[in-house]
Amino acid sequence: MNINSKYKTGMNKGMTLFLLLYTFFSYSQESNSGVVQSSNSAERFPVFSNCVNLQSKELESCFYNQVQDFVFENFEVPENLKQNNFQGEIKVLFEVDINGVFKVIYADAAEENLIKESKRVFAKFPKIKPSTYNGRPTYSKFTITISIPLKSRGEVEAEALAQAEFLPNKTKKLTELDSIVYKKYDSPEFDSHLNIPFSHSYYSQFDASLNQMGSNNHTASKPYTYAEVSKYYNLKAVNENIKKKVSTWGERKLWNENTVQIKGEDYWFTLNPIFDLQVGKASKSNASYTYINTRGINFRGGLGNKLNFTTTVFESQGRFADYFNRYAESIKPAGGNPAIIPGMGIAKGFKADAYDFPLAEANLTFAPSKHIDLQLGYGRNFIGDGYRSLLESDGASPYPYFKLNTNFWKIKYTNTYMWLKDVRPEVTVERTYATKFMANHYLSWNVSNRLNLGFFESVIWTNSNDRGFDVSFVNPIIFYRSVEFASSARSGNAVLGFTYKYKWSNQINFYGQFILDEFSLGDIKNGDNSWKNKYGYQLGAKYYNAFKIDNLLLQLEYNHVRPYVYSHSMPITNYGHNNQSIGHQWGGNFKELIGIARYNKGRYFADAKITIGTRGLDFDTTDNSFNYGGNIYKDYDENRPFNTGVKVGQGNKTSIFIADLQGGYLVNPATNLKLFGSFIYRSFDPTKNTATTFNDSTNWFSVGLRADVFNWYFDY
């Protein structure tokens, strides 16, 4: 009968005896004090009445001996097992809680009667003084192995001594597995290079800290890593401060902790279920209710301080408000599947009027130095300081990518290489979707304590003429436009971009973007609004701790994108993936004003967003089949109604108004699990009603329980 313990190997007789006595022992302790503990904080073992006034190793040994003796004296081997000369082991994981009560967490044995007897014995343990951490009571976990037939501590010692006397060292049992020791889990993810799941609501909580004047920080390239944010915002301390004062294992897992969390020598990992469970009601819908039913599992961890990983698998079914369903079906792929859920991926039909849309995300990060991190992932990326991005947004489905981040001096340089899909019937061959490639780089430069400038370049190409992934773009410090010109006969699509951020004060920031898809200086000089002048811009402002109210963020943003931006003469090389725009989710030919308010206090949060926009949509009727520049999957050289006088809103001019209100309570900060209610009002008013574009207003109310680990965009 052995309790799991720490030890070192040795060659002398005394050490051999120790190894034989304590062949399997492990100890872990977790604090529920809700206070961030220092690494040198004092820890003290539980204390039996016979062990009072003992200290350090003597107290530890006394605790082990008392447990062993009590189990030996009270354990009764079932009579049938005695008669059959049963030999085996029982492994018991038990806890001494903050009240000093012994509790069996898990027991494993070949016979069910042995498990029951183990639980009976541990229930008889007397109440003792609990472990303490910095003088505060805490819980402790232990593992004991009970060998059958039972042997007293004295018998074990005698056998061990005999073996130490007569057995040569070469016969010594290996103890590599038994010597693995688990450490107190102290949230190592907050100091890691792991990506923080990108959620506008969550990121807003530390946005002010990252945008203080004088900081040499770069906020446009998202998602951030925990290491980036922790330099300016103490995520670990904030997480500790909002923990609930609970004691039981179930309460800790529900309110405060990862479901599984393990830390050892130079490694850690966590395992969590992920839920997005929503139910709601939308007006003017034939369906009785809307819903999202997402179940997933997330596994993440770190090996050493340079390698981190995360992977999440989702299984989802859902039915949405009618306007969202119609949009999802309008971008359906070839092959018979009915829809693509924006931001998620291709959906199968589920029952009569719902969708089944599986999803997976993953990221592997290696940081060989403080200046460089390499990421291999399957997911989404975002460039910008606003709610929207004109350069690279997270509104499209996940995709494989490789990212290189380089930090030095006042510079952050981000290179991203992506593998995308075109799923239209026109390019689908033998049930296989067409592959396209995208490479971009973004240089962020902190010019001064207040001003940041960013420079962006992107190129998209396809596998024409067996081109494949063109290694010409692998070089991270090359200009893509010149390489594309030399590599192909206009088979690629290059885009340039510019960003800025100005810190007026620690409370007020201004930001913006400019995207240039195509530019003709001569046409600009003519002042005739040529279709060739394909550009867009963003203007925005943020007001942190607005009106001296802590954690209140106000944001105002204007986006303006001219017709035919993101499109191309070869639609396969447009700025899209899975029939969705990689830039702004609305595509081209629109203007949009967004007002956002976000507030959080402790575990409570509230978000409000109002969108007012104008879009120029196509009529797509027999009488009018012109391409007015809103649909990026149309060839801009075909059915263009005019070459000059091109303005935002041309075509079927449509007014859009969306109000989105959400509030709720953070259930578990470890998974960002939120209990929430939301209300969306959407008004869609085109100049002319057609079969696919018509006047519509929607009220959509939902409640749910959601792990907020990615952004849902319902503002189409």
Side-chain angles (χ1 to χ4, degrees), residues 337-464:
N337 287 310
I340 292 177
I341 307 301
M344 301 294 111
I346 296 174
K348 302 182 293 182
F350 181 74
K351 297 184 176 179
D353 56 355
Y355 311 103
D356 188 326
F357 45 101
L359 177 68
E361 294 186 321
N363 182 273
L364 179 67
T365 300
F366 178 63
S369 74
K370 65 179 182 180
H371 299 297
I372 294 175
D373 76 71
L374 310 170
Q375 299 185 19
L376 182 64
Y378 189 90
R380 293 155 289 199
N381 296 279
F382 188 97
I383 291 178
D385 288 286
Y387 172 72
R388 305 285 199 186
S389 175
L390 308 186
L391 307 179
E392 184 179 0
S393 75
D394 62 334
S397 309
Y399 45 80
Y401 67 88
F402 175 75
K403 182 188 284 188
L404 169 64
N405 289 308
T406 306
N407 277 281
F408 63 96
W409 186 52
K410 303 178 181 181
I411 296 292
K412 181 177 182 180
Y413 190 46
T414 300
N415 298 83
T416 312
Y417 308 94
M418 292 160 277
W419 287 256
L420 310 176
K421 292 292 183 181
D422 191 323
V423 297
R424 295 172 298 132
E426 300 93 310
V427 294
T428 299
V429 179
E430 296 180 350
R431 301 181 181 181
T432 301
Y433 300 129
T435 298
K436 55 197 274 188
F437 309 95
M438 180 176 181
N440 63 43
H441 46 204
Y442 175 68
L443 189 149
S444 174
W445 173 32
N446 288 324
V447 181
S448 69
N449 286 338
R450 297 176 182 269
L451 179 64
N452 172 274
L453 299 178
F455 306 92
F456 176 83
E457 188 182 23
S458 179
V459 63
I460 295 178
W461 71 98
T462 187
N463 192 30
S464 56

Side-chain angles (χ1 to χ4, degrees), residues 498-658:
F498 170 80
T499 71
Y500 81 91
K501 179 176 64 181
Y502 185 76
K503 304 173 185 177
W504 180 270
S505 67
N506 284 337
Q507 282 189 284
I508 299 176
N509 284 186
F510 298 100
Y511 64 90
Q513 295 184 345
F514 180 81
I515 183 171
L516 182 62
D517 195 358
E518 193 169 333
F519 181 77
S520 173
L521 181 59
D523 289 305
I524 285 287
K525 290 181 177 180
N526 291 335
D528 55 3
N529 286 315
S530 170
W531 76 274
K532 293 182 180 180
N533 295 319
K534 297 158 55 184
Y535 64 84
Y537 62 88
Q538 177 186 87
L539 301 172
K542 293 180 181 179
Y543 184 16
Y544 303 111
N545 300 318
F547 308 111
K548 299 183 179 180
I549 301 174
D550 290 343
N551 303 317
L552 174 61
L553 168 64
L554 300 181
Q555 182 176 357
L556 188 66
E557 180 175 300
Y558 177 74
N559 297 295
H560 185 107
V561 177
R562 282 180 54 80
Y564 309 106
V565 174
Y566 304 129
S567 62
H568 198 248
S569 58
M570 296 177 58
I572 194 173
T573 52
N574 70 354
Y575 213 67
H577 165 63
N578 270 6
N579 288 348
Q580 304 149 85
S581 171
I582 294 183
H584 195 290
Q585 290 95 306
W586 287 6
N589 193 11
F590 73 87
K591 54 185 177 182
E592 173 191 45
L593 180 66
I594 305 172
I596 300 173
R598 303 188 190 275
Y599 177 75
N600 71 280
K601 185 173 183 175
R603 292 187 178 230
Y604 295 93
F605 71 93
D607 296 330
K609 175 165 56 68
I610 293 178
T611 303
I612 303 172
T614 299
R615 300 182 66 180
L617 303 175
D618 296 336
F619 292 94
D620 288 328
T621 62
T622 305
D623 298 332
N624 192 334
S625 61
F626 290 118
N627 174 14
Y628 289 96
N631 187 346
I632 70 172
Y633 278 89
K634 289 185 176 182
D635 182 347
Y636 57 52
D637 282 333
E638 293 184 1
N639 294 326
R640 195 173 60 247
F642 26 76
N643 295 327
T644 59
V646 174
K647 297 180 180 180
V648 168
Q650 67 178 19
N652 196 357
K653 188 175 182 179
T654 302
S655 298
I656 299 173
F657 177 86
I658 304 172

Side-chain angles (χ1 to χ4, degrees), residues 75 78 80-81 86 89-90 107-120:
F75 197 100
N80 65 314
L81 298 183
F86 177 84
E89 292 181 343
I90 313 148
D108 183 47
E111 296 288 333
E112 184 64 29
N113 288 340
L114 294 175
I115 296 175
K116 292 181 180 179
E117 179 61 13
S118 301
K119 293 180 178 180
R120 186 193 67 82

Side-chain angles (χ1 to χ4, degrees), residues 242-260:
I242 64 173
K243 281 186 174 180
K244 288 183 174 291
K245 307 293 184 183
V246 295
S247 58
T248 68
W249 181 89
E251 289 175 321
R252 295 197 308 272
K253 298 304 173 183
L254 174 62
W255 299 109
N256 296 333
E257 298 179 353
N258 300 287
T259 304
V260 177

